[in-house]
Amino acid sequence: MANFPTETALHHFDGADGARMAWHGMGPEDGRPVILIHGLFSNAFTNWVRYGHAAKLAAKGRRVIMPDLRAHGDSAKPHDPSGYSEDILADDNLALIEQLGLAPGGYDLGGYSLGGRTTARMLVRGAKPGKALLAGMGLEGLLDLGGRVAFFRKVLEGVGTHPKFSPEWMAEGFLKTTGGDARALLLLLDNFPKIARASLADLAMPILVLTGSEDNDNGSARALAAALPNAGFVEVPGNHMSAVTLPQFGDAIADWF
């Protein structure tokens, strides 16, 4: 693995319902903020720090703000359904923007996989970054995540029973590496709202759609880029699990932001 900085500063903020949430910071405190949101079963460190992506942004003078989603990482992991609501992930991260005092246009925003979906929900809900990033995400994954939710529910409900090397077994293995909380994640799966296709046409800020060349897990990234009025499209090597580990992925993010 390449030698790059991995040290981050841990901060906390109040989630949408007051729950204790965490974000990790890297880069100069006076740098232009960029918020990066990780994917399902992952966390800020695994998605953005471990493979050097955050370090590349920090080296360009950016203040990298990396929240742990609810039910992930160092953030709250409620085991009660009352800790979740239909748009809780977007609401938590809109609360982060408000508490950090980030003005419209004064920050950038992006995410990978579920983080990309959360970013899209935030944009539809009124977040106004200067630039945005939707990575590891396709059009179908925004319009209807039903099939993927069913897959992850099967993974979580069948922990310890999946055939070796099956997609479910691989996903469970990743969950173990990040210390995921299966009970909290099952509750979270019930709270991924659909995004109306018509609402994508209203997202006028520059948006980069970034994907692995073999990644079809969340549908067509090209179709997503075509559905946005001001989108760029970049393809890097790899599939949904491998693309995010490669230096080309971090280079594309650093070039965009």
Side-chain angles (χ1 to χ4, degrees):
M1 188 178 293
N3 185 21
F4 44 75
T6 58
E7 184 176 348
T8 62
L10 176 63
H11 305 265
H12 290 94
F13 69 102
D14 294 329
D17 60 354
R20 184 174 170 86
M21 308 295 291
W23 65 273
H24 306 261
M26 182 183 285
E29 292 191 8
D30 60 351
R32 177 177 171 86
V34 53
I35 299 172
L36 296 178
I37 305 175
H38 66 79
L40 185 67
F41 287 13
S42 191
N43 53 44
F45 179 84
T46 301
N47 221 141
W48 308 117
V49 179
R50 175 171 289 168
Y51 301 105
H53 311 324
K56 289 176 180 177
L57 283 166
K60 289 193 168 188
R62 302 303 303 272
R63 176 60 168 165
V64 191
I65 296 167
M66 300 165 281
D68 282 330
L69 290 171
R70 183 174 297 246
H72 296 78
D74 291 314
S75 285
K77 303 176 183 67
H79 284 182
D80 189 303
S82 66
Y84 303 87
S85 58
E86 184 182 52
D87 231 356
I88 193 62
L89 298 184
D91 288 345
D92 282 339
N93 287 285
L94 289 169
L96 172 62
I97 290 172
E98 180 179 1
Q99 289 170 47
L100 291 176
L102 303 182
Y107 66 96
D108 299 314
L109 172 66
Y112 187 76
S113 195
L114 177 59
R117 196 169 198 279
T118 301
T119 295
R121 284 296 302 174
M122 293 170 69
L123 298 178
V124 169
R125 296 279 305 282
K128 298 194 180 301
K131 281 185 170 183
L133 167 74
L134 302 179
M137 182 52 59
L139 180 61
E140 295 84 351
L142 293 184
L143 303 183
D144 185 1
L145 205 58
R148 292 294 285 166
V149 168
F151 169 78
F152 287 115
R153 187 177 301 284
K154 183 179 179 183
V155 171
L156 293 168
E157 291 179 344
V159 166
T161 68
H162 302 301
K164 198 170 184 179
F165 303 121
S166 67
E168 293 83 1
W169 183 85
M170 297 291 286
E172 180 185 344
F174 179 67
L175 178 67
K176 289 177 180 177
T177 68
T178 62
D181 184 319
R183 185 173 173 185
L185 289 165
L186 274 169
L187 291 170
L188 181 65
L189 288 179
D190 293 326
N191 296 281
F192 295 159
K194 295 180 180 180
I195 295 176
R197 180 167 185 155
S199 67
L200 298 178
D202 296 328
L203 304 182
M205 74 284 294
I207 299 176
L208 178 65
V209 177
L210 174 61
T211 187
S213 58
E214 301 170 39
D215 183 1
N216 298 302
D217 281 23
N218 289 304
S220 170
R222 287 187 183 275
L224 174 57
L228 296 164
N230 191 14
F233 178 80
V234 172
E235 200 171 65
V236 298
N239 57 31
H240 196 69
M241 291 299 293
S242 64
V244 72
T245 71
L246 301 178
Q248 295 96 320
F249 182 83
D251 292 341
I253 295 174
D255 289 345
W256 176 245
F257 287 132

